[in-house]
Amino acid sequence: MKLAVFGVGLIGGSFALALKQAKAVSRVVGVGRNPANLRLALERGIIDAIADPASAVRGADVVLVSTPVSQFPKVLEAIAPGLGAQTTITDGGSTKRDVIAAARKALGSKITQFVPAHPIAGAEKSGAEAASAELFRDRRVILTPLRENRRGTVEQVESLWKACGARVARMDPEEHDAVLAAVSHLPHLLAYALVHGVAKRNNSAQLFSFAAGGFRDFTRIASSHPEMWRDICLANRDRLLQELKSYANELGSIRKLIEKGDGAALEKLFAGARNARNKWIQSS
Amino acid sequence: MKLAVFGVGLIGGSFALALKQAKAVSRVVGVGRNPANLRLALERGIIDAIADPASAVRGADVVLVSTPVSQFPKVLEAIAPGLGAQTTITDGGSTKRDVIAAARKALGSKITQFVPAHPIAGAEKSGAEAASAELFRDRRVILTPLRENRRGTVEQVESLWKACGARVARMDPEEHDAVLAAVSHLPHLLAYALVHGVAKRNNSAQLFSFAAGGFRDFTRIASSHPEMWRDICLANRDRLLQELKSYANELGSIRKLIEKGDGAALEKLFAGARNARNKWIQSS
């Protein structure tokens, strides 16, 4: 089994390591923009060779595209010409509608071979350095199969992600992008906004020096990969703007409660949120 | 050394345990609204006796007031009449201007004996159950001494918090409330708002089921004590509203960048926030 990984970062590198550990692949080649990162991937045994797109795809059983999503059109166009009929493609993109549109355009009739996937296993670390065979263990991976996919292809991709230790769910791409906008994309934006708002002030050093554990955890995701999140914001723009609007309304309601001094309503809202979160934590 | 703790929760209970461990106090009495919590504090050896306000204060060397801040006026009024000249008071309130105003009103000329403090050591757990002798270890405690305090009283309070393992800073009460609004009160509100916004939707179960580690850490502080945070929001209302407004402006600017599709500006903002946060994490 030969695996070709385009973008050997946190997701791509972890996919390779996990499949090697599960003995689901024997040879991994890596393609990427950053030579130093690829060399590190080679040193760490994540990949067995650095390749150009054409030779990476040649004879590959599986291709994973795990670059930031704005690069998908270019990467898929480079993959398409040499793509053999026996090669299956999956991806690690955090948005699915844009990725699918790019794949349809680049792959043409070979779209049957592409099963879109989103492993929900981000971290604030990135690059081959951060890759781990355990990253996907017990994490969810959402597949958004296409009507053109053959059942066997979808099952193959599902079994690969399961071999990484992931729990696989299936979803419609539209639904995927709406759900992730609410529970992932919006929080990232909120965390970036908070840190940016503090960092730009004259007394930012003082502010940071009195920030504690709550601030640290709240803003952990503001240490995420800027280019990746730029791409997600643009790719899922409509859904994210919808979430931003609804969040602004939520904050507006809370602001009014504070202005009115409505302690009872504030406490009720806080208690409701705490209960909902604690219930989720206990069940997850 | 006799310590009287009003409100034997996370902060009050941890103060008692830490000072017992440091052998800075020999006897602790606890006062509170919740008999079950006080019994638990007794069982855990946090306090040696449950007392009413008058007998708790009688002969106490130190009094800690660590209830939610809206209860300070009532608690300080109950303490005032029996307060001996040798007793020093400090507190654990997360806001300082309101606490000081309440203390001036209730204590009159005995205000000299009160040295306001804020241990920055919150947690999403609360009650005597969550108390720990190690809670304040290497955490910051902000003292906002009053012009009426004698130097020796301030030094005594500082040495008590240091005996808990804390790093003590001094600040003006106005400045304290402004700094904490930005790095603590606002983030709590943002986290509560996010969870509330998700929990109230029809598909909240689905949304929570695909929420991952980023969401969990971002919202950890939304599991904080609702009554305590209600009080903080109301006590620090002006500063918090100012922070909310500035955050809404920040979100508005980001929304415009997304609407315009200005990827370069988004990436720059995200990278700036990441760098600022990473620098802070490395230095703290």
Side-chain angles (χ1 to χ4, degrees):
Chain A
M1 279 281 281
K2 177 185 169 185
L3 166 67
V5 176
F6 287 73
V8 192
L10 174 71
I11 297 296
S14 297
F15 189 71
L17 285 175
L19 291 182
K20 279 188 167 189
Q21 186 175 282
K23 303 204 184 303
V25 302
S26 51
R27 180 171 168 78
V28 180
V29 298
V31 185
R33 297 174 295 177
N34 181 339
N37 183 63
L38 288 172
R39 278 196 301 274
L40 179 65
L42 208 51
E43 279 165 28
R44 287 198 56 200
I46 296 170
I47 58 175
D48 304 298
I50 299 170
D52 60 79
S55 62
V57 170
R58 197 176 307 129
D61 298 282
V62 177
V63 171
L64 175 77
V65 183
S66 45
T67 63
V69 290
S70 73
Q71 293 169 52
F72 272 56
K74 213 178 79 183
V75 169
L76 290 164
E77 276 159 30
I79 289 171
L83 193 67
Q86 301 311 311
T87 307
T88 295
I89 315 179
T90 185
D91 77 303
S94 302
T95 50
K96 295 273 69 82
R97 290 172 302 163
D98 65 309
V99 159
I100 291 167
R104 284 195 203 286
K105 193 161 173 229
L107 300 178
S109 64
K110 293 175 183 171
I111 189 73
T112 51
Q113 296 164 239
F114 175 56
V115 182
H118 174 206
I120 306 181
E124 74 277 24
K125 290 166 186 161
S126 51
E129 180 187 22
S132 147
E134 299 303 317
L135 182 70
F136 305 116
R137 178 86 47 214
D138 297 324
R139 301 296 184 88
R140 304 199 78 159
V141 171
I142 302 177
L143 302 187
T144 63
L146 309 175
R147 57 175 185 279
E148 297 92 337
N149 291 146
R150 275 184 289 265
R151 189 200 281 185
T153 315
V154 178
E155 283 167 359
Q156 182 195 5
V157 169
E158 178 161 332
S159 74
L160 285 168
W161 285 108
K162 281 185 174 167
C164 298
R167 297 182 292 139
V168 178
R170 295 188 190 190
M171 215 184 261
D172 176 74
E174 290 276 345
E175 193 179 16
H176 170 277
D177 287 2
V179 166
L180 272 291
V183 298
S184 171
H185 308 167
L186 176 67
H188 276 79
L189 214 56
L190 299 180
Y192 277 128
L194 183 72
V195 177
H196 183 252
V198 168
K200 75 183 186 188
R201 297 196 200 178
N202 292 332
N203 67 336
S204 64
Q206 184 196 34
L207 292 174
F208 277 121
S209 81
F210 290 100
F215 188 91
R216 187 193 59 230
D217 288 357
F218 183 94
T219 60
R220 181 176 64 77
I221 50 182
S223 288
S224 300
H225 197 255
E227 183 191 4
M228 176 181 154
W229 283 93
R230 172 201 72 188
D231 285 3
I232 291 172
C233 288
L234 298 181
N236 205 17
R237 190 190 314 199
D238 55 347
R239 291 300 195 176
L240 184 52
L241 286 172
Q242 216 168 299
E243 288 299 332
L244 260 178
K245 194 177 165 187
S246 127
Y247 188 76
N249 289 340
E250 188 71 39
L251 277 191
S253 309
I254 293 180
R255 178 175 50 73
K256 282 195 195 99
L257 296 180
I258 296 174
E259 280 168 351
K260 281 196 295 182
D262 190 343
L266 281 174
E267 187 176 356
K268 193 179 160 202
L269 191 151
F270 295 167
R274 174 164 83 160
N275 291 344
R277 182 178 185 276
N278 290 354
K279 210 175 119 187
W280 166 58
I281 291 285
Q282 279 151 23
S283 72
S284 67
Chain B
M1 277 281 281
K2 178 184 169 186
L3 167 68
V5 177
F6 287 72
V8 191
L10 174 71
I11 297 296
S14 297
F15 188 71
L17 284 175
L19 291 183
K20 278 188 167 190
Q21 186 176 280
K23 304 204 185 302
V25 302
S26 51
R27 179 170 168 76
V28 180
V29 298
V31 185
R33 296 174 298 176
N34 181 340
N37 183 64
L38 288 172
R39 277 195 302 274
L40 179 65
L42 207 52
E43 279 165 28
R44 288 198 57 201
I46 297 170
I47 58 175
D48 304 297
I50 299 170
D52 60 79
S55 63
V57 170
R58 198 176 307 130
D61 298 282
V62 178
V63 171
L64 174 78
V65 182
S66 46
T67 63
V69 288
S70 73
Q71 293 169 52
F72 272 56
K74 213 178 78 182
V75 168
L76 289 164
E77 276 158 31
I79 288 172
L83 193 67
Q86 299 312 312
T87 307
T88 296
I89 314 180
T90 185
D91 78 303
S94 301
T95 50
K96 295 271 71 81
R97 289 173 302 164
D98 64 309
V99 159
I100 291 167
R104 285 195 202 284
K105 194 162 171 226
L107 300 178
S109 63
K110 294 176 182 171
I111 189 71
T112 51
Q113 296 164 242
F114 175 57
V115 182
H118 174 206
I120 306 181
E124 74 277 24
K125 291 167 186 159
S126 51
E129 180 187 24
S132 147
E134 299 303 318
L135 183 69
F136 305 115
R137 176 90 44 217
D138 297 325
R139 302 296 186 85
R140 302 199 79 160
V141 171
I142 301 176
L143 301 188
T144 63
L146 308 176
R147 58 175 184 278
E148 296 92 337
N149 292 146
R150 274 185 288 263
R151 188 200 283 184
T153 314
V154 178
E155 284 168 359
Q156 182 195 5
V157 168
E158 178 161 330
S159 75
L160 285 168
W161 285 106
K162 281 185 175 168
C164 297
R167 295 183 292 138
V168 178
R170 296 189 189 189
M171 215 184 261
D172 176 73
E174 289 277 343
E175 192 178 18
H176 169 278
D177 287 1
V179 166
L180 272 291
V183 297
S184 170
H185 308 169
L186 175 69
H188 276 79
L189 213 56
L190 299 180
Y192 277 128
L194 183 72
V195 177
H196 182 252
V198 168
K200 74 184 186 187
R201 297 196 200 178
N202 292 331
N203 67 335
S204 64
Q206 184 197 33
L207 292 175
F208 277 121
S209 81
F210 289 100
F215 188 92
R216 186 194 58 231
D217 289 356
F218 183 95
T219 61
R220 181 176 64 77
I221 49 182
S223 287
S224 301
H225 197 256
E227 184 192 2
M228 176 182 154
W229 283 93
R230 173 201 72 189
D231 285 3
I232 291 171
C233 288
L234 298 182
N236 205 18
R237 190 190 316 198
D238 54 347
R239 291 299 195 178
L240 184 52
L241 286 172
Q242 214 169 301
E243 288 300 332
L244 260 177
K245 193 176 166 189
S246 127
Y247 188 76
N249 289 341
E250 188 71 40
L251 277 191
S253 309
I254 295 179
R255 177 174 52 73
K256 284 196 194 99
L257 296 180
I258 298 175
E259 280 168 352
K260 282 195 293 180
D262 190 344
L266 281 173
E267 187 176 354
K268 192 179 160 202
L269 191 152
F270 296 167
R274 174 164 84 160
N275 291 344
R277 183 179 184 276
N278 289 353
K279 209 175 119 188
W280 167 58
I281 291 285
Q282 278 152 24
S283 72
S284 68

